[in-house]
C-alpha cells in the first residue's frame, strides 16, 4: 500500500553503550497537539452527553431550580414539605460539615432530585405526545383542533436548539401489531394475486396459524418489545443483512448520484430516530463464515484512497487538527500525479472477501479502520442530455464499478470521476438510504455555499507545506456486475406540482403508474415492495408497503379496458388506499416486519409454521423505494438547480424482477433508476422505463381528458 503522507516520530541506533534514542522536537510537538485534540474531543463528547442526557431541560435550568429553592428557604418557606429536613438529618455532622453547610447541601440535593424528576416528567409527556399519529391520517392541507393543540405542545416541550441525539430518550417504542390485524392485512394484500381456490387455501392456512402457534409466538414477541429498544431492528440487521451469504455488491449495496439536477421531516417538527447516524464513519462490515459483523471504531485519523490499482493511506489530521480542504486537495493531486505501478495483486484487491496474509493483512487493516473509502476513478461519468445511455452507465458504475475499485464492505465508498462528477456506494446493513441522503445534502450544501472554490477551481485556504485468491473472486464479482441491466429515466413532462393540483399524493400517483407499467410490461400483477421508514420510533428503520392491492389492480384493469368510464374514480380509490397503507406502515401498523419477527421466534422455538414459511418465501418481483430529498432544506432548488441530487438506486431483488428507485426533484422532475438482469428473458429495464413514462402520461390524462396518448 502506498502512503500519501508519512511521519517518523523517532529514530534509534544501537551502540556499544546501548540504545541512543534521538527524539524529534517537531514530532514531539505534533504528539502533544494530537493529545490536546484527543482531550478536546473527549470534552466535547462529555458536554454533548450531558446536554443530551438532560434534554429537554438544560444544565442552566438546574441552577435556576437550585436558586429558587434556596430563595424560598431564606424566605422561611419550605416547598419540600419537610424533605429537606429529612435529608439534612441523614447527613453526617463533622467539623467540615456545619449545620449551615448541611442545610445548603440538603437544599441542593432536593433541588437536584426535583430537577431530575421534572426532566423525566417532561420526557414521559413528550413520549406520550409523540405516540400520537392521528395527524398523519388527516387530509393534506387540513388540520383538526386536536392536532393543532398537539402540535403546540410538542413545540413547547421540544426545547430550543436540540442536538442530533437529544430526542432519543423521548421517542416511543415501535408497537407490536395484533395478530388479527396483521393476518387480515396480509390476506388483503395477496387477494389480487391469487385466484379464488388459492385464496381459500391461503385463508385456511392463515386461520390455522392464528389459532396455533401465533398466540405463543406473539407473547414472546411482546416480551421482547418490552425489554428491547426496538423489537425488529437487531434481528433485521442480523438475519436480512449480516447472515446473507450472497455477494453484497448489487444484491445489497445501493448508490447515490449527483447530476446536473441534484422529504421534509414530518410537519417540520416531529423528531426522527438518529441512531443510524452513529455508524456512518469508521465502520466496516467484517466477513464471517456464517454471519458477518459490523465493526465500528470511535476515532480514525485516515482514509484510504484507490486510484489506478493502487491504495493510498491519507491522513486527515496534522498537528492536532483536521486538514484543510486545500491541504487534502494537495494530497489528492499527488496521488493523481503518481505514476508508479501497482504491486502484484493490488489492482483487484477489493474483489476479495477476506484474507489474512502478512503485508496484505496490514493493508486490509488500514482499509477496515479507515474513516471511509475514496475512489479516484479514471473514467468519466455523469448525465449527458445528448447521450441517452449516460445515466444508465453512471448508475452501473456507482453500483459496481469494475468490481475491484470500490470497497463494498466499508460503510460507504465516495467515488469521484475524472470529470468531477461524484457519487456514493453504500453498504446497507448499518443504515438505510435516507441517512446517506441526509449526509449527501449536507455535504453538497457545505461544499457549495460554505467552503467554496477559487476562480481557478481550487479549494480555498492556505497549505501547510502478494498475489492471492483474487482472480476467482474478481470473476464471480464481474459475472454479477455484467448481468445488471440499468436504465435511468428522467421524467420531466410534469412533477410534484401538477400531481398535487390533482389532489393526489405524489408517491401514490407514482406507485399506481408503476403498477400499470408492470402490468403492461409482463401482462400480470406481482407482489410489490415499497420501503417506508419507521424512524418516528426509537431505532426504527423500515417497513414494507404492499403496493399491489385490490384497488390498484381494479384501476389497472380499467385502464386497459376501453369500455370502462370509471377510471378516475378507481384511481382516486386506489390512491387513497395506498396512502392509508403508507401511513399505517409509518406508524408501526405494517405487517411484514411483524411477520418476519414471528418467523424468527418460531425458528428459535423450533416451531414449524406452514403459513410463515409461505409468507417469507414469496418473491418480490417489483421492489421500489423513494429516495428522500431536502431533509435539511439547505439548498433552494429554484435558485440552485444544478446542486440538487439525482437520487440513487439498487439492484433487482428477484432474478426475474425489477428494482425501481425514484426521487421527486423540485416541482417538475422525477428521476427513475430501474434495474433488472440481462439473464432474465422476462425483463428489460429500458422497456420498463418507457412503460413507466407512458403510464405516468396516461394517468395524467385522466385529469385532462383532452390530452391524447403519446
Amino acid at each position: 500500500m502506498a502512503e500519501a503522507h508519512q511521519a517518523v516520530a523517532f529514530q534509534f541506533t544501537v551502540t556499544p553503550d546501548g540504545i541512543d534514542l534521538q527524539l524529534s522536537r517537531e514530532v514531539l510537538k505534533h504528539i502533544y497537539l494530537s493529545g490536546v485534540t484527543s482531550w478536546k474531543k473527549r470534552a466535547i463528547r462529555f458536554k454533548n452527553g450531558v446536554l443530551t442526557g438532560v434534554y429537554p431541560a438544560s444544565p442552566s435550568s438546574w441552577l435556576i431550580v437550585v436558586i429558587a429553592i434556596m430563595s424560598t428557604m431564606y424566605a422561611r418557606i419550605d416547598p419540600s414539605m419537610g424533605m429537606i429536613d429529612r435529608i439534612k438529618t441523614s447527613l453526617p455532622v463533622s467539623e467540615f460539615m456545619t449545620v449551615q453547610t448541611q442545610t445548603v447541601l440538603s437544599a441542593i440535593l432536593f433541588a437536584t432530585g426535583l430537577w431530575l424528576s421534572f426532566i423525566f416528567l417532561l420526557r414521559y409527556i413528550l413520549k406520550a405526545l409523540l405516540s400520537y399519529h392521528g395527524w398523519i391520517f388527516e387530509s393534506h392541507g387540513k388540520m383538526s383542533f386536536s392536532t393543532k393543540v398537539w402540535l403546540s405542545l410538542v413545540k413547547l416541550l421540544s426545547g430550543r436548539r436540540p442536538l442530533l441525539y437529544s430526542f432519543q430518550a423521548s421517542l416511543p417504542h415501535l408497537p407490536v401489531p395484533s395478530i388479527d390485524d396483521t393476518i387480515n392485512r396480509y390476506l388483503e394484500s395477496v387477494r389480487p394475486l391469487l385466484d379464488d381456490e388459492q385464496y381459500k387455501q391461503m385463508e385456511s392456512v392463515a386461520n390455522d396459524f392464528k389459532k396455533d402457534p401465533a398466540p405463543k409466538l406473539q407473547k414472546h414477541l411482546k416480551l421482547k418489545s418490552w425489554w428491547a429498544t426496538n423489537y425488529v431492528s437487531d434481528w433485521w440487521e442480523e438475519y436480512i443483512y449480516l447472515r446473507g451469504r450472497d455477494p453484497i455488491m448489487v444484491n445489497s449495496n445501493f448508490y447515490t448520484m449527483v447530476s446536473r439536477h441534484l422529504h421534509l421531516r414530518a410537519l417540520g417538527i416531529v423528531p426522527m430516530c438518529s441512531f443510524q447516524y452513529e455508524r456512518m464513519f469508521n465502520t466496516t462490515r467484517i466477513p464471517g463464515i456464517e454471519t458477518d459483523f459490523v465493526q465500528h471504531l470511535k476515532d480514525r485519523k485516515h482514509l484510504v484512497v484507490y486510484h489506478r490499482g493502487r491504495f493510498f493511506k491519507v491522513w486527515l489530521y496534522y498537528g492536532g487538527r483536521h486538514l484543510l480542504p486545500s491541504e487534502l486537495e494537495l494530497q489528492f493531486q499527488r496521488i493523481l500525479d503518481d505514476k508508479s505501478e501497482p504491486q502484484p495483486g493490488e489492482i483487484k484487491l477489493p474483489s476479495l472477501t477476506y484474507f489474512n496474509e502478512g503485508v496484505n493483512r496490514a493493508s486490509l487493516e488500514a482499509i477496515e479502520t479507515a474513516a471511509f473509502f475514496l475512489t479516484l476513478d479514471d473514467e468519466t461519468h455523469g448525465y449527458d442530455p445528448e447521450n441517452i445511455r449516460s445515466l444508465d452507465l453512471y448508475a452501473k458504475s456507482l453500483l459496481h464499478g469494475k468490481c475491484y475499485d470500490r470497497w463494498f464492505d466499508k460503510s460507504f465508498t465516495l467515488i469521484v470521476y475524472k470529470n468531477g462528477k461524484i457519487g456514493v456506494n453504500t453498504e446497507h446493513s448499518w443504515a438505510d438510504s435516507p441517512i446517506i441522503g441526509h449526509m449527501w445534502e449536507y455535504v453538497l450544501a457545505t461544499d457549495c455555499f460554505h467552503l467554496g472554490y477559487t476562480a481557478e477551481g481550487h479549494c480555498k485556504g492556505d497549505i501547510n507545506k502478494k498475489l492471492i485468491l483474487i482472480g476467482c473472486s474478481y470473476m464471480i464479482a464481474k459475472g454479477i456486475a455484467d448481468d445488471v441491466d440499468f436504465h435511468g429515466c428522467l421524467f420531466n413532462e410534469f412533477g410534484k406540482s401538477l400531481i398535487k393540483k390533482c389532489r393526489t399524493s405524489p408517491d401514490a400517483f407514482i406507485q399506481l403508474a408503476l403498477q400499470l407499467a408492470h402490468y403492461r410490461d409482463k401482462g400480470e400483477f406481482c407482489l410489490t415492495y415499497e420501503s417506508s421508514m419507521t424512524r418516528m420510533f426509537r431505532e426504527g428503520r423500515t417497513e414494507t408497503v404492499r403496493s399491489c392491492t385490490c384497488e390498484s389492480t381494479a384501476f389497472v384493469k380499467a385502464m386497459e379496458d376501453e369500455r370502462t368510464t370509471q377510471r378516475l374514480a378507481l384511481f382516486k380509490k386506489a390512491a387513497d388506499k395506498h396512502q392509508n397503507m403508507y401511513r399505517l406502515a409509518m406508524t408501526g401498523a405494517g405487517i411484514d416486519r411483524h411477520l418476519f419477527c414471528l418467523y424468527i421466534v418460531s425458528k428459535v422455538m423450533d416451531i414449524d409454521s406452514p403459513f410463515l414459511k409461505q409468507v417469507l418465501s414469496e418473491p418480490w418481483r417489483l421492489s421500489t423505494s423513494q429516495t428522500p430529498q431536502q431533509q435539511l432544506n439547505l439548498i433552494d432548488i429554484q435558485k440552485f438547480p444544478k446542486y440538487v441530487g439525482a437520487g440513487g438506486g439498487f439492484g433487482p431483488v428477484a432474478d426475474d424482477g425489477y428494482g425501481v428507485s425514484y426521487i421527486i426533484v423540485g416541482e417538475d422532475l422525477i428521476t427513475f433508476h430501474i434495474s433488472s438482469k440481462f439473464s432474465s428473458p422476462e425483463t428489460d429495464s429500458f422497456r420498463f422505463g418507457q412503460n413507466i413514462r407512458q403510464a405516468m402520461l396516461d394517468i395524467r390524462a385522466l385529469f385532462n381528458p383532452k390530452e391524447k396518448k403519446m
Side-chain angles (χ1 to χ4, degrees):
M1 178 180 291
E3 296 284 343
H5 175 77
Q6 290 184 345
V8 179
F10 62 87
Q11 301 173 349
F12 67 90
T13 57
V14 180
T15 69
D17 299 324
I19 297 177
D20 180 21
L21 194 64
Q22 302 171 6
L23 293 174
S24 165
R25 181 176 297 179
E26 182 65 22
V27 173
L28 286 176
K29 175 185 174 182
H30 287 297
I31 292 173
Y32 165 76
L33 292 173
S34 295
V36 171
T37 301
S38 179
W39 281 105
K40 281 182 179 178
K41 283 185 178 180
R42 292 175 187 175
I44 292 171
R45 286 198 189 103
F46 177 77
K47 173 189 171 184
N48 289 343
V50 171
L51 292 175
T52 300
V54 303
Y55 199 82
S58 64
S60 59
S61 63
W62 171 81
L63 187 60
I64 293 172
V65 174
V66 170
I67 293 173
I69 295 298
M70 296 295 293
S71 300
T72 58
M73 291 184 64
Y74 282 109
R76 299 186 181 280
I77 301 173
D78 185 8
S80 70
M81 294 181 291
M83 289 186 66
I84 292 178
D85 288 335
R86 285 196 287 272
I87 295 173
K88 181 179 176 181
T89 57
S90 65
L91 294 176
V93 179
S94 67
E95 57 180 318
F96 303 105
M97 183 76 73
T98 63
V99 175
Q100 187 175 1
T101 304
Q102 282 183 316
T103 303
V104 172
L105 184 57
S106 300
I108 291 174
L109 290 173
F110 172 76
T112 302
L114 183 64
W115 178 67
L116 291 173
S117 301
F118 183 64
I119 290 173
F120 284 117
L121 178 62
L122 286 177
R123 283 185 179 176
Y124 179 82
I125 295 173
L126 189 57
K127 182 178 286 189
L129 288 170
L130 294 176
S131 298
Y132 167 75
H133 299 124
W135 58 270
I136 204 170
F137 293 94
E138 294 180 353
S139 301
H140 182 71
K142 296 181 180 179
M143 189 180 294
S144 64
F145 176 75
S146 59
T147 297
K148 289 179 181 178
V149 173
W150 168 82
L151 194 60
S152 300
L153 290 173
V154 170
K155 286 182 179 179
L156 180 66
L157 295 177
S158 292
R160 298 168 57 190
R161 301 178 66 181
L163 300 177
L164 182 62
Y165 301 109
S166 293
F167 287 100
Q168 289 299 94
S170 301
L171 292 174
H173 287 204
L174 183 69
V176 180
S178 71
I179 292 291
D180 286 344
D181 286 346
T182 294
I183 290 179
N184 290 338
R185 288 172 185 153
Y186 169 77
L187 291 173
E188 184 182 3
S189 74
V190 298
R191 185 64 187 94
L193 307 174
L194 305 176
D195 59 33
D196 291 343
E197 187 62 33
Q198 291 172 324
Y199 181 74
K200 285 181 180 178
Q201 182 181 0
M202 175 55 73
E203 197 173 32
S204 175
V205 174
N207 288 330
D208 290 342
F209 170 74
K210 189 189 299 185
K211 295 174 185 176
D212 183 67
K216 195 185 305 180
L217 303 177
Q218 180 81 341
K219 180 169 55 177
H220 287 82
L221 206 53
K222 283 192 172 183
L223 181 63
K224 186 191 176 186
S225 72
W226 297 335
W227 177 255
T229 307
N230 188 294
Y231 80 93
V232 175
S233 294
D234 58 338
W235 286 349
W236 187 253
E237 179 177 309
E238 179 180 356
Y239 291 101
I240 297 301
Y241 295 115
L242 299 180
R243 284 182 178 264
R245 298 297 86 190
D246 291 331
I248 62 175
M249 183 194 76
V250 175
N251 296 311
S252 179
N253 286 28
F254 59 91
Y255 67 87
T256 309
M257 65 167 57
V258 172
S259 84
R260 69 182 184 90
H261 306 284
L262 202 42
H263 245 250
L264 298 174
R265 286 188 172 186
L267 288 182
I269 59 99
V270 177
M272 299 292 171
C273 180
S274 300
F275 96 102
Q276 294 181 60
Y277 293 94
E278 295 175 8
R279 298 184 292 180
M280 182 176 290
F281 297 98
N282 317 323
T283 299
T284 305
R285 176 172 175 161
I286 306 298
I289 297 175
E290 292 185 356
T291 183
D292 303 343
F293 70 93
V294 177
Q295 170 186 276
H296 176 66
L297 305 170
K298 279 191 176 180
D299 282 320
R300 296 294 94 186
K301 297 184 178 181
H302 72 277
L303 63 85
V304 170
V305 180
Y306 180 91
H307 177 60
R308 292 180 59 248
R310 296 153 309 143
F311 292 84
F312 299 82
K313 184 176 181 180
V314 177
W315 295 105
L316 300 173
Y317 288 82
Y318 183 79
R321 63 169 175 81
H322 279 106
L323 290 181
L324 301 173
S326 54
E327 294 168 329
L328 287 170
E329 180 189 349
L330 177 64
Q331 296 203 77
F332 296 146
Q333 189 60 53
R334 286 177 177 173
I335 292 173
L336 293 171
D337 295 341
D338 189 336
K339 304 301 181 184
S340 61
E341 292 298 319
Q343 297 179 18
E346 189 178 9
I347 292 179
K348 299 175 182 177
L349 188 62
S351 64
L352 278 176
T353 304
Y354 66 92
F355 56 96
N356 190 13
E357 294 285 341
V359 176
N360 288 332
R361 179 65 246 179
S363 301
L364 180 60
E365 184 176 358
I367 296 170
E368 291 178 343
T369 60
F372 61 94
F373 192 85
L374 169 64
T375 294
L376 298 179
D377 205 302
D378 56 356
E379 293 185 348
T380 297
H381 282 291
Y383 173 66
D384 181 0
E386 297 180 1
N387 182 357
I388 194 172
R389 289 281 295 163
S390 62
L391 204 59
D392 308 1
L393 297 173
Y394 186 16
K396 280 180 68 67
S397 178
L398 289 174
L399 187 65
H400 55 68
K402 299 185 183 77
C403 304
Y404 55 78
D405 53 354
R406 285 92 172 95
W407 201 271
F408 297 104
D409 287 336
K410 286 302 291 182
S411 55
F412 67 90
T413 296
L414 179 63
I415 303 154
V416 182
Y417 293 102
K418 198 173 182 178
N419 59 344
K421 293 294 182 183
I422 53 179
V424 177
N425 182 287
T426 307
E427 198 280 310
H428 209 331
S429 66
W430 67 274
D432 302 307
S433 61
I435 305 303
I436 207 74
H438 189 164
M439 178 203 74
W440 204 227
E441 186 178 344
Y442 180 83
V443 167
L444 286 172
T446 303
D447 183 62
C448 299
F449 307 120
H450 178 63
L451 298 175
Y453 297 88
T454 65
E456 294 78 23
H458 297 288
C459 295
K460 292 180 179 179
D462 298 326
I463 299 173
N464 192 348
K465 316 268 170 208
K466 248 170 207 184
L467 190 60
I468 50 176
L469 302 176
I470 292 177
C472 179
S473 299
Y474 166 65
M475 292 308 296
I476 294 173
K478 189 175 186 302
I480 295 171
D482 289 346
D483 194 28
V484 178
D485 177 15
F486 255 104
H487 176 58
C489 176
L490 291 175
F491 184 85
N492 53 14
E493 282 83 350
F494 61 89
K496 179 174 66 176
S497 177
L498 186 144
I499 295 174
K500 285 191 171 182
K501 288 178 182 177
C502 299
R503 305 182 66 84
T504 303
S505 157
D507 184 70
F509 189 103
I510 294 169
Q511 284 291 327
L512 288 172
L514 291 175
Q515 290 298 313
L516 178 57
H518 187 273
Y519 187 77
R520 288 172 174 175
D521 188 85
K522 286 193 171 184
E524 63 182 10
F525 298 106
C526 71
L527 198 61
T528 306
Y529 182 111
E530 181 187 6
S531 179
S532 165
M533 69 173 184
T534 55
R535 287 177 56 216
M536 289 191 292
F537 302 98
R538 191 167 181 181
E539 295 190 10
R541 291 194 60 164
T542 61
E543 178 57 274
T544 304
V545 180
R546 294 182 167 227
S547 302
C548 184
T549 63
C550 292
E551 290 80 1
S552 69
T553 55
F555 161 70
V556 169
K557 289 176 180 178
M559 288 294 290
E560 298 302 279
D561 186 351
E562 296 290 342
R563 299 168 297 177
T564 305
T565 58
Q566 300 297 317
R567 294 174 180 170
L568 183 58
L570 290 170
F571 169 82
K572 290 183 176 180
K573 186 177 180 181
D576 290 343
K577 175 67 176 180
H578 178 84
Q579 197 165 9
N580 185 63
M581 290 195 310
Y582 200 98
R583 289 164 172 170
L584 287 170
M586 284 186 66
T587 53
I591 65 172
D592 283 276
R593 301 302 177 267
H594 186 203
L595 290 169
F596 163 75
C597 289
L598 289 170
Y599 178 75
I600 297 299
V601 175
S602 72
K603 298 300 287 183
V604 172
M605 298 179 67
D606 198 23
I607 295 175
D608 182 66
S609 170
F611 172 72
L612 291 175
K613 276 185 179 179
Q614 183 165 346
V615 168
L616 272 78
S617 64
E618 295 167 341
W620 301 96
R621 290 193 170 88
L622 180 56
S623 182
T624 71
S625 177
Q626 179 183 170
T627 302
Q629 184 191 305
Q630 283 186 282
Q631 299 181 91
L632 294 175
N633 271 348
L634 293 175
I635 301 174
D636 188 327
I637 293 179
Q638 303 302 321
K639 287 185 178 180
F640 308 102
K642 67 179 182 179
Y643 294 125
V644 181
F650 50 88
V653 174
D655 290 340
D656 57 349
Y658 289 108
V660 181
S661 174
Y662 53 93
I663 182 171
I664 301 170
V665 185
E667 301 297 319
D668 302 302
L669 176 66
I670 303 169
T671 303
F672 293 90
H673 300 257
I674 306 162
S675 68
S676 61
K677 293 190 176 183
F678 285 116
S679 57
S680 172
E682 300 179 25
T683 58
D684 183 308
S685 293
F686 179 79
R687 182 186 72 207
F688 193 45
Q690 296 303 105
N691 282 325
I692 292 174
R693 183 182 297 276
Q694 190 60 57
M696 294 282 288
L697 294 172
D698 289 349
I699 294 176
R700 182 186 68 171
L702 296 177
F703 297 89
N704 188 354
K706 294 181 181 180
E707 293 188 7
K708 297 180 180 179
K709 281 190 176 184
M710 301 293 290

